[in-house]
Amino acid sequence: MLPSGFKFSGVACGIKASGKKDIALITSDVPAVAAGVYTQNVVRAASIDWNRQITPTDHLSAIVVNSGNANACTGEEGFRNNQQMAFQTAGAVECTSGQVCIMSTGVIGHQLPMDCVSKGIVQASRELGAGSQDFESASEAILTTDKGTKTAFRSFEFEGETIRLAGMAKGAGMIGPNMATMLGIVVTDASLTPPVAQDILKRVADQSFNCISVEGHTSTNDSLVLMANGQSPAPMKHWKAIQAFTENLTELCVELATQIPADGEGASHLISIKVSGAENDQDADTICRSVAMSNLVKTAIAGADPNWGRITSAAGLTSVTFKPEHLCLAINGCSIFEKGQPLAFDEKQLSQSMSDEFETLIEIRIGSGPGEASHWTSDLNEAYVKFNSLYTT
Amino acid sequence: MLPSGFKFSGVACGIKASGKKDIALITSDVPAVAAGVYTQNVVRAASIDWNRQITPTDHLSAIVVNSGNANACTGEEGFRNNQQMAFQTAGAVECTSGQVCIMSTGVIGHQLPMDCVSKGIVQASRELGAGSQDFESASEAILTTDKGTKTAFRSFEFEGETIRLAGMAKGAGMIGPNMATMLGIVVTDASLTPPVAQDILKRVADQSFNCISVEGHTSTNDSLVLMANGQSPAPMKHWKAIQAFTENLTELCVELATQIPADGEGASHLISIKVSGAENDQDADTICRSVAMSNLVKTAIAGADPNWGRITSAAGLTSVTFKPEHLCLAINGCSIFEKGQPLAFDEKQLSQSMSDEFETLIEIRIGSGPGEASHWTSDLNEAYVKFNSLYTT
């Protein structure tokens, strides 16, 4: 079951030449609390600046998403088009433009075809519905090169009342022609205040969407918005309720986030990297990212090749210092390097397990500190390169 | 002509299964001043720790290089083997082990076959010669997957006397199976003191070898060593002589360094990135590297695809802030984005020039500050991925 008091729709308005759905609309029956986290890229889409002014808020009415065009690097005209989307959506769902969040995803540097977009918004407002098929339809309309929709759901009870969360995301995975643009939307009927919603969302994003990568190229459009309309009667004043909500939101966002590197033409492995024993979590995270960003690690895993020197050297190349004689490494549970010494291991057997399993688990220990971190990324194979060599032209 | 007072040799001792040359020896007839710069990777080869203790010095006699095995992540046994290489070389060329620099390059995590190495060092010491063919032979013996040798030469006159410089490098380029391990050796007959040599080399490395990348994976073995034996009678006490030497060394090192990303199976483009208008050089360098590290930029250029949104977004994703409305971009001299606004340009014509030219020039301006930087990298195509997916197994 979906959270109470939300409606969804997804329509095709002609932005995508393929004729696939490209406008999604999500509305709350009552003005909702909303929080958002956005790309840190200096070069960002018009929609990012717009949303930053709006969230956190206690009266968001709608989120409108177009796919197929990022409306980024489009100058003044791009800002005007973004504004027009907000006004048209506000007109269609009867609210003010300041109650509308906007997300765009797709190719950079092209102006939006506003004729199509305007018609699409009107049509989407007419098709709004509260059923699973409506949610699914909206989830489809936010995709670009994704293989399929990415959704996740959670519910929990507090003092006898049910709170529901439903999330959708898009991410181009291994074939990230739109810069692996990531969009995430989570709706819930929980009662939250804007500062609490913003604080929870920031912390959850750091443990989920901020721990995934495809090629580490931060998009101009990355956005994650949480909408909480308070339609569940569950009381949320108690810290235990907030804690339960945060745990459920974290689980939901990790489930959504890991679908991104796992998806996409060409991605033949999801790579999970766990670093422990660092002085603090930040250091562990830095090492996780260095391993995740290494094309040499990613190509080795695509080939089911336990070429582990690429991993130990990637762990060592950051600004984080550690004693090489404390370094340990295991791949898929097989210990390979222990306290700075190479171990004898069955290369063929390990290669077979890397070939058989979709997920490759890399565990690195750099000392005995309490710091730890996780990261999920995709492997790098020929299909990725082929796809990304020819995109705009 | 080569600098006076140096001898060179390259032999095959059996480290490489292919039977190609894998031991290089370079000696100075008199103890030479030497300076070195080495990998910053925490996980580093035994040879790196050894060389760090030796340079800068005023009495280096020999540099011995083995290719085909990095002697990194090899624990205690690796350190002992490295030491043995120094002692054996010292015995063969009649000096002490502390007068021998060692470089290793190749696969990580395997122990050196010391029987082969020992025989190779003795043979190399017997074949030392001062001719161009000897220099060429040593240049060959340091290679791994390089397509061919990488050498560069300079000479200049000061107060009627000639000073010569000769350099060799190896780097696996686009196909970086040994982590794009970079080795560079420059010999000169100039008279320098150890601190001056070290200072010059550090500054020159920052403008040459530290401005190239293949996949940005810092190796366990990167080394650049300068040997100056003072056999040219040119007086070097005057600052103008030091300045002329530095300029020649910089030119030589840039020429050597850019051969690395240009080389390698699969590298179909050398990408030159120039960033200007930053507040300082450091900021410009940060943006250069972000563009150079982007798989999306590198695949687009492999496909001669002027998908410029990938470049502007890569420029924006670092910690360096700038005003997006000041951002300008040109590819191969064609202006595409000017002060935050997309320009109309002939996509087909630009794609054709990217396809025709081996070098693609990306020029980015982020403001009106004095900071600027350059970086050279290779594109990313299917051949790279194919090669790197199957290396050790």
Side-chain angles (χ1 to χ4, degrees):
Chain A
M1 282 237 322
L2 291 165
S4 309
F6 287 101
K7 293 197 177 68
F8 313 90
S9 66
V11 301
C13 76
I15 305 171
K16 290 179 181 164
S18 65
K20 287 186 179 171
K21 289 182 181 171
D22 46 21
I23 293 274
L25 185 59
I26 294 161
T27 61
S28 171
D29 297 348
V30 296
V33 164
V37 290
Y38 307 104
T39 183
Q40 296 299 308
N41 200 315
V42 173
V43 178
R44 58 195 180 269
S47 59
I48 300 294
D49 288 342
W50 178 268
N51 292 350
R52 281 219 179 101
Q53 290 178 0
I54 289 180
T55 61
T57 175
D58 60 2
H59 60 280
L60 195 76
S61 287
I63 301 174
V64 62
V65 188
N66 79 272
S67 56
N69 186 314
N71 195 14
C73 295
T74 44
E76 279 303 317
E77 190 178 338
F79 282 101
R80 283 197 301 273
N81 287 340
N82 184 76
Q83 231 169 24
Q84 200 182 324
M85 277 178 78
F87 276 92
Q88 288 175 332
T89 305
V93 305
E94 293 180 1
C95 63
T96 66
S97 63
Q99 293 178 276
V100 180
C101 263
I102 296 175
M103 295 185 181
S104 299
T105 179
V107 68
I108 292 177
H110 292 242
Q111 298 298 347
L112 274 171
M114 288 309 291
D115 281 358
C116 301
V117 172
S118 304
K119 282 179 207 159
I121 289 171
V122 171
Q123 194 192 338
S125 71
R126 288 184 185 145
E127 296 191 12
L128 283 165
S132 317
Q133 74 281 12
D134 303 305
F135 185 85
E136 188 64 21
S137 186
S139 316
E140 265 176 52
I142 68 173
L143 306 179
T144 55
T145 54
D146 309 63
K147 272 195 298 213
T149 57
K150 298 176 174 69
T151 57
F153 307 91
R154 286 291 183 284
S155 67
F156 66 100
E157 298 217 343
F158 192 74
E159 296 191 1
E161 300 289 350
T162 304
I163 290 169
R164 295 192 168 82
L165 300 91
M168 62 178 75
K170 65 90 41 176
M174 192 64 190
I175 45 158
N178 299 320
M179 337 241 44
T181 298
M182 192 287 292
L183 300 182
I185 298 166
V186 180
V187 296
T188 178
D189 46 22
S191 290
L192 299 170
T193 61
V196 167
Q198 185 66 38
D199 180 57
I200 293 174
L201 189 67
K202 173 78 181 68
R203 285 189 289 133
V204 169
D206 281 343
Q207 291 173 56
S208 56
F209 289 102
N210 289 345
C211 295
I212 60 165
S213 61
V214 172
E215 66 293 274
H217 192 124
T218 308
S219 145
T220 49
N221 292 53
D222 290 338
S223 302
L224 172 64
V225 170
L226 170 71
M227 241 178 138
N229 68 3
Q231 296 300 287
S232 161
M236 294 289 290
K237 306 252 165 186
H238 199 284
W239 70 269
K240 280 192 176 170
I242 296 294
Q243 193 179 31
F245 180 80
T246 305
E247 279 166 15
N248 276 275
L249 183 64
T250 304
E251 279 181 30
L252 180 145
C253 285
V254 167
E255 186 181 330
L256 273 182
T258 53
Q259 291 177 54
I260 292 176
D263 179 33
E265 278 174 37
S268 50
H269 290 89
L270 174 67
I271 308 174
S272 297
I273 303 159
K274 294 189 187 307
V275 171
S276 62
E279 282 189 21
N280 52 58
D281 290 354
Q282 179 57 48
D283 282 3
D285 182 65
T286 300
I287 291 172
C288 262
R289 280 169 204 278
S290 175
V291 175
M293 292 307 126
S294 166
N295 281 355
L296 290 168
V297 171
K298 288 154 82 100
T299 49
I301 288 168
D305 178 3
N307 192 344
W308 58 270
R310 297 180 178 182
I311 301 170
T312 51
S313 58
L317 66 78
T318 76
S319 56
V320 176
T321 55
F322 58 86
K323 291 205 162 71
E325 59 270 29
H326 291 173
L327 186 62
C328 305
L329 170 70
I331 302 177
N332 285 355
C334 170
S335 279
I336 286 176
F337 196 67
E338 186 73 26
K339 299 202 169 165
Q341 304 286 339
L343 303 179
F345 68 99
D346 187 334
E347 280 200 22
K348 277 198 181 152
Q349 197 180 335
L350 178 54
S351 174
Q352 193 61 49
S353 97
M354 291 167 74
S355 178
D356 293 346
E357 309 285 337
F358 178 68
E359 186 169 341
T360 298
L361 174 62
I362 296 175
E363 291 168 291
I364 297 165
R365 191 161 183 84
I366 64 167
S368 51
E372 55 182 27
S374 297
H375 196 97
W376 294 272
T377 190
S378 38
D379 61 0
L380 174 57
N381 59 28
E382 293 168 71
Y384 169 92
V385 173
K386 192 167 185 179
F387 189 92
N388 281 291
S389 298
L390 282 171
Y391 178 59
T392 62
T393 51
Chain B
M1 284 237 320
L2 290 165
S4 308
F6 288 99
K7 293 197 178 68
F8 313 89
S9 65
V11 302
C13 76
I15 305 171
K16 290 179 180 164
S18 65
K20 287 187 179 170
K21 289 182 181 170
D22 46 19
I23 293 275
L25 185 60
I26 295 159
T27 60
S28 171
D29 297 348
V30 297
V33 164
V37 290
Y38 307 103
T39 183
Q40 296 300 306
N41 201 316
V42 172
V43 178
R44 57 196 182 267
S47 59
I48 299 293
D49 287 343
W50 178 268
N51 292 350
R52 281 219 179 102
Q53 291 177 1
I54 289 179
T55 60
T57 176
D58 60 0
H59 61 282
L60 195 76
S61 287
I63 301 173
V64 62
V65 189
N66 79 272
S67 56
N69 185 314
N71 196 14
C73 295
T74 44
E76 279 303 318
E77 190 178 339
F79 283 100
R80 284 197 302 274
N81 287 340
N82 183 75
Q83 232 169 24
Q84 201 182 321
M85 276 179 78
F87 276 92
Q88 289 175 334
T89 305
V93 306
E94 293 178 3
C95 63
T96 66
S97 63
Q99 294 179 276
V100 180
C101 263
I102 296 176
M103 295 184 182
S104 299
T105 177
V107 68
I108 292 177
H110 293 240
Q111 297 298 346
L112 274 170
M114 288 308 292
D115 281 0
C116 302
V117 172
S118 305
K119 282 179 205 157
I121 289 171
V122 172
Q123 192 191 338
S125 70
R126 288 185 184 141
E127 296 191 10
L128 284 165
S132 316
Q133 73 282 13
D134 304 306
F135 185 85
E136 188 66 18
S137 187
S139 315
E140 263 175 54
I142 68 172
L143 306 181
T144 54
T145 54
D146 309 63
K147 272 196 298 214
T149 58
K150 299 176 173 70
T151 58
F153 307 90
R154 287 289 184 287
S155 68
F156 65 102
E157 299 217 342
F158 192 74
E159 294 191 5
E161 301 290 349
T162 303
I163 291 169
R164 295 193 168 83
L165 301 92
M168 61 178 75
K170 65 91 38 177
M174 191 64 190
I175 45 159
N178 298 322
M179 336 240 47
T181 298
M182 191 286 293
L183 299 183
I185 298 166
V186 179
V187 294
T188 177
D189 46 22
S191 291
L192 299 171
T193 62
V196 167
Q198 186 66 38
D199 179 57
I200 293 174
L201 189 66
K202 173 77 182 69
R203 283 189 289 132
V204 169
D206 281 342
Q207 291 173 56
S208 55
F209 289 102
N210 288 346
C211 296
I212 58 165
S213 61
V214 173
E215 66 291 273
H217 194 125
T218 309
S219 144
T220 49
N221 292 52
D222 291 338
S223 302
L224 172 64
V225 170
L226 170 72
M227 243 177 136
N229 68 1
Q231 295 300 289
S232 161
M236 294 289 289
K237 308 251 164 186
H238 199 284
W239 69 270
K240 280 192 177 168
I242 296 293
Q243 192 179 35
F245 179 81
T246 305
E247 279 166 14
N248 277 274
L249 184 64
T250 304
E251 278 180 30
L252 181 145
C253 284
V254 167
E255 186 181 331
L256 273 183
T258 53
Q259 291 176 55
I260 293 177
D263 179 31
E265 280 174 34
S268 51
H269 289 89
L270 174 66
I271 309 175
S272 297
I273 302 160
K274 295 192 187 303
V275 171
S276 62
E279 280 189 22
N280 52 58
D281 290 354
Q282 180 57 48
D283 281 3
D285 182 66
T286 300
I287 291 174
C288 263
R289 281 170 204 275
S290 175
V291 175
M293 293 306 127
S294 166
N295 281 355
L296 289 169
V297 171
K298 289 154 82 100
T299 49
I301 288 167
D305 177 4
N307 192 344
W308 58 270
R310 296 180 178 181
I311 302 171
T312 51
S313 57
L317 66 79
T318 76
S319 57
V320 176
T321 55
F322 58 86
K323 293 207 163 68
E325 60 268 30
H326 290 172
L327 186 63
C328 305
L329 170 70
I331 301 176
N332 285 356
C334 169
S335 279
I336 286 176
F337 196 66
E338 186 72 28
K339 301 202 169 165
Q341 304 285 341
L343 303 178
F345 69 97
D346 187 334
E347 281 199 22
K348 277 195 182 154
Q349 197 181 333
L350 178 54
S351 174
Q352 193 61 48
S353 97
M354 292 167 73
S355 178
D356 293 346
E357 309 286 336
F358 178 68
E359 186 169 341
T360 297
L361 174 62
I362 296 175
E363 292 169 291
I364 297 165
R365 191 161 182 84
I366 63 167
S368 50
E372 54 183 27
S374 296
H375 196 97
W376 295 272
T377 189
S378 38
D379 61 1
L380 172 58
N381 58 28
E382 293 169 71
Y384 168 91
V385 174
K386 193 167 185 177
F387 189 91
N388 280 292
S389 299
L390 283 172
Y391 178 59
T392 61
T393 53

